[in-house]
Amino acid sequence: MSDASQRAAELAAQRDDAAENGVTDATLLDAVATRAPRSLEEFYDRFSRRAYSLARRVCVDESIAEDVVQEVFLLVWRQPERYDPARGSVATWLMTMVHHRAVDAVRREAVRRRRTVAPGEDGDEWLPPGPGADEAALDAVVAGHVREALAALPTEQREALTLAYFGGFTQREVASIAGIPLGTVKSRMFTAVRTLRGLLEGQVDRGAEEGSA
């Protein structure tokens, strides 16, 4: 185990020691694994609010976020042995699963909408008329450019940026999740942001012209 991973494990253990009602997160997860009565209910009560908050930030849509949370806790019930203490705390493990599945859910929903929403007669995506339509068009164009720019980043940079900005994790938590030094996370995020700025330079202005055309 690397020094960074060892330190992450130690910090995770410290956090677990300060668990609720004298029961650590790891102990509660062990109870889930042995199918102890009410263990999953208690695990859900402990983490559901944080899990939903993260899923809601990523998915935006409430029903999709709820489905993600349900899916993650079902996975905890079915495969609690997937937790590896060497890679971080129970909370970090759970939130990482929530984030990954929320991102997957957003992607699936985007694909579904592209397949089921009919284009307008002129081939452009239909937007409702009235106040705010121009802003909505511009937002859609800019969001598209951002997604394209993110996709162009190296995988490790994109993951660090996504965890921090869309997952709501701190840089230290990102380092714990990825099992890399904090300095590496900072370097990757700095490089990713600089690259994004270069990729997006001029795109927003052009998007504004396209959205108002």
Side-chain angles (χ1 to χ4, degrees):
M1 183 188 302
S2 66
D3 292 341
S5 298
Q6 179 65 40
R7 181 55 181 162
E10 292 173 355
L11 290 173
Q14 292 172 7
R15 288 194 296 270
D16 279 348
D17 285 342
E20 301 173 15
N21 301 322
V23 179
T24 68
D25 297 340
T27 299
L28 185 55
L29 184 60
D30 286 340
V32 172
T34 60
R35 300 296 190 260
R38 292 183 51 83
S39 57
L40 182 62
E41 181 180 347
E42 292 176 9
F43 191 88
Y44 180 86
D45 289 343
R46 182 172 297 190
F47 291 108
S48 60
R49 182 174 298 181
R50 278 180 282 175
Y52 177 76
S53 178
L54 174 56
R56 184 72 169 77
R57 286 203 302 269
V58 176
C59 298
V60 180
D61 186 282
E62 293 182 3
S63 61
I64 296 177
E66 290 171 354
D67 289 343
V68 166
V69 172
Q70 182 177 359
E71 178 184 346
V72 169
F73 280 97
L74 183 59
L75 182 61
V76 170
W77 175 249
R78 289 175 173 173
Q79 298 178 309
E81 70 278 0
R82 293 181 60 176
Y83 169 61
D84 181 2
R87 301 191 63 179
S89 69
V90 170
T92 299
W93 171 68
L94 184 71
M95 294 302 108
T96 301
M97 287 199 295
V98 171
H99 177 263
H100 287 169
R101 278 157 180 74
V103 170
D104 288 342
V106 170
R107 288 172 179 165
R108 289 196 301 269
E109 181 65 13
V111 170
R112 186 193 68 78
R113 290 182 179 181
R114 283 198 297 269
R115 290 176 176 173
T116 59
V117 177
E121 293 181 355
D122 58 356
D124 294 330
E125 183 179 356
W126 181 84
L127 289 171
D134 290 342
E135 289 82 356
L138 177 57
D139 288 345
V141 171
V142 173
H145 289 315
V146 171
R147 285 194 297 271
E148 292 173 0
L150 281 171
L153 292 175
T155 301
E156 64 274 8
Q157 293 180 16
R158 182 171 62 252
E159 289 180 348
L161 209 61
T162 301
L163 283 170
Y165 286 97
F166 300 106
F169 292 105
T170 66
Q171 290 182 335
R172 190 174 299 279
E173 288 171 333
V174 172
S176 176
I177 292 169
I180 57 178
L182 177 60
T184 302
V185 171
K186 292 181 177 180
S187 176
R188 287 180 180 177
M189 290 185 62
F190 175 81
T191 303
V193 170
R194 185 176 58 184
T195 302
L196 279 179
R197 286 174 179 168
L199 292 171
L200 292 172
E201 186 176 5
Q203 292 293 330
V204 174
D205 291 338
R206 285 197 292 274
E209 293 175 1
E210 294 170 6
S212 60

